[in-house]
Amino acid sequence: MKLTDRIRYVGVDDLSTVLFERQWPLPYGVSYNSYLVVDEKIALIDTAAAGFREGFLANIKQEIGDRKIDYLIVNHMEPDHSALQAAVRLEYPDCTIVTNQKAVPMIEGFNGLTENVMTIREGESLSLGASTLQFFMVPMVHWPETMVTWCPEEKTLFSGDAFGTFKALKGNVTDSKSNTFEDFKDEMTRYYASIVGKYANPVQSALKKLGGLEINRICSTHGPVWENQVADVIQYYDKLSRYEASHGVCLAYGSMYGNTEKAALALAEAISKCGIPCAVHDLTEENYSFALRDVFKFDTIVLGSPTYNNGIFPPVRQLMEGICDRQVKDRRFFAFGSCTWAPASVKLLNEMASAAGFEILGEGATFKQGYEPSKFDAAALAALV
Ligand code: FEO
């Protein structure tokens, strides 16, 4: 698909993979975006995931016919974008792989390619004729070898995973009135929270480094090409990587026999009655990435866990560890949960929250055995948040 005379989209939609990285659900699919810059020389920027070889190479042929690819630019080596490098080299044996030094051993390690690899350094440029590609390192967004490619003549940033989002494109390659940032915001947040969230400082460094560019178009490796809402998308990424959140509650719980669940629902109702947005997640029913998304969205985390093996119920512990792994900052925290004979989960969750630097809202609430409203004053607890 033609984005401009020079820039073409040759990516593919993945509507069949159930779990991205074998861990993150894809209810709306995902796209693996790849781009051509067509000039006197032709550059292909990143490839796609394994399993898409035929469609991907056909997309390239459709754009350039019998012309050859001169350069394969490698911005990022995660296999969802690098798995077809060998297929490209087989189809276009003379193409030069252009990347940075950190990616070179990964290209050999993943794909066995060692020949005709050109390394570039921070800020260096490659002429394609009338257009130029310039390279900037953005290490740890979210792998060490990550870089972005800038085409000044087109004011286009090929950003790798940065500004990416889950959700397949289904033919709507660019943002538009019927394909807006708002339509993708939840899945962008979940992508960021799941995959990039731990690397807030590198994202902030990258945003500062690229801040001087006059960007008219962002070509990420996942999700729409941003043309109409570039400023909104950059601003939102800045907000996410500062851990800025709006006032509201992510209430996530796990429950074995329904008692912590009854308490969770009573608390959610009481919080909602206070007029505070409250997103509720049953962690035994859904992947924790959905709750993690709302941890990045809202300023208050409320977790419900029964005591299990004298500890935190495992699905809740997984979320809490995910939050701590991502070094989430500036959140308020409240824990509750049932136990049968000796409470432990609330105390342990509070210890983890305290170590994360969260503001602890009261000591939490534990009740023994069956749920009764008299054992769990949801209205009083809601007043805390
Ligand atoms: Fe979409 Fe980090 O790969």
Side-chain angles (χ1 to χ4, degrees):
M1 181 195 157
K2 192 181 260 199
L3 297 171
T4 71
D5 280 347
R6 290 187 186 122
I7 301 176
R8 317 291 172 83
Y9 176 83
V10 290
V12 293
D13 271 355
D14 181 352
L15 295 165
S16 55
T17 297
V18 176
L19 294 174
F20 188 80
E21 293 182 345
R22 295 285 196 272
Q23 54 180 331
W24 313 116
L26 293 172
Y28 315 104
V30 68
S31 64
Y32 309 118
N33 300 345
S34 170
Y35 305 91
L36 289 165
V37 183
V38 180
D39 205 319
E40 287 167 30
K41 303 275 188 188
I42 294 180
L44 173 68
I45 302 177
D46 292 315
T47 68
F52 294 88
R53 180 182 180 280
E54 200 176 322
F56 176 64
L57 292 177
N59 287 349
I60 294 171
K61 291 266 185 235
Q62 191 174 324
E63 295 300 326
I64 61 172
D66 291 333
R67 287 191 66 188
K68 305 295 176 210
I69 291 173
D70 298 283
Y71 301 110
L72 168 57
I73 312 296
V74 176
N75 276 339
H76 180 30
M77 271 307 296
E78 193 161 5
D80 53 332
H81 311 295
S82 67
L84 298 182
Q85 287 173 355
V88 170
R89 177 51 77 70
L90 204 60
E91 192 72 19
Y92 301 101
D94 297 329
C95 80
T96 301
I97 294 174
V98 179
T99 193
N100 64 81
Q101 194 59 53
K102 282 205 174 132
V104 172
M106 297 186 190
I107 293 171
E108 180 178 6
F110 277 120
N111 298 321
L113 300 175
T114 54
E115 302 204 342
N116 201 3
V117 176
M118 180 173 123
T119 57
I120 45 80
R121 291 173 195 271
E122 169 75 18
E124 282 186 353
S125 293
L126 178 71
S127 173
L128 301 179
S131 51
T132 316
L133 299 180
Q134 191 177 12
F135 308 100
F136 297 104
M137 306 303 136
V138 290
M140 297 319 300
V141 180
H142 59 124
W143 277 24
E145 87 302 356
T146 45
M147 68 180 202
V148 297
T149 298
W150 168 242
C151 180
E153 294 81 7
E154 298 283 342
K155 296 191 168 131
T156 295
L157 182 71
F158 299 94
S159 66
D161 284 341
F163 313 109
T165 165
F166 294 134
K167 200 171 178 179
L169 298 174
K170 297 186 176 176
N172 290 312
V173 172
T174 59
D175 58 343
S176 63
K177 280 189 180 152
S178 60
N179 200 43
T180 64
F181 172 46
E182 208 55 40
D183 296 332
F184 282 85
K185 200 169 182 180
D186 265 358
E187 284 295 85
M188 178 187 268
T189 311
R190 194 166 66 88
Y191 178 90
Y192 179 88
S194 305
I195 292 164
V196 186
K198 182 181 174 76
Y199 303 102
N201 288 338
V203 170
Q204 279 290 309
S205 300
L207 289 172
K208 281 189 184 74
K209 180 184 278 193
L210 304 173
L213 303 178
E214 190 189 339
I215 301 171
N216 283 356
R217 180 181 299 102
I218 296 175
C219 293
S220 169
T221 44
H222 301 288
V225 171
W226 303 109
E227 290 182 337
N228 298 302
Q229 293 179 279
V230 169
D232 294 339
V233 168
I234 293 175
Q235 194 177 40
Y236 190 59
Y237 232 67
D238 183 40
K239 183 179 159 178
L240 285 173
S241 54
R242 290 176 192 275
Y243 298 102
E244 283 181 19
S246 54
H247 187 41
V249 175
C250 172
L251 192 162
Y253 67 92
S255 188
M256 287 185 284
Y257 296 105
N259 293 303
T260 296
E261 179 169 61
K262 284 177 186 163
L265 298 181
L267 188 50
E269 188 181 340
I271 292 168
S272 296
K273 275 186 183 155
C274 298
I276 301 168
C278 183
V280 180
H281 297 280
D282 177 353
L283 297 169
T284 64
E285 292 287 336
E286 62 175 48
N287 180 279
Y288 75 102
S289 63
F290 295 95
L292 207 49
R293 173 196 69 197
D294 291 335
V295 164
F296 274 77
K297 223 192 246 188
F298 295 126
D299 65 358
T300 306
I301 302 165
V302 175
L303 295 189
S305 170
T307 292
Y308 188 84
N309 280 344
N310 202 29
I312 302 165
F313 189 45
V316 184
R317 189 176 66 220
Q318 183 185 41
L319 173 62
M320 192 62 192
E321 286 174 349
I323 293 168
C324 295
D325 279 351
R326 285 157 182 78
Q327 298 166 23
V328 175
K329 293 179 185 24
D330 303 326
R331 293 297 186 272
R332 307 157 78 235
F333 186 86
F334 181 81
F336 65 95
S338 68
C339 71
T340 300
W341 64 96
S345 59
V346 168
K347 176 175 166 285
L348 292 170
L349 282 167
N350 277 341
E351 283 172 7
M352 290 176 80
S354 185
F358 297 160
E359 179 189 348
I360 312 292
L361 303 171
E363 60 186 19
T366 303
F367 59 95
K368 280 193 171 176
Q369 297 104 31
Y371 168 81
E372 293 293 340
S374 58
K375 293 182 182 176
F376 190 89
D377 189 343
L381 297 172
L384 282 175
V385 303

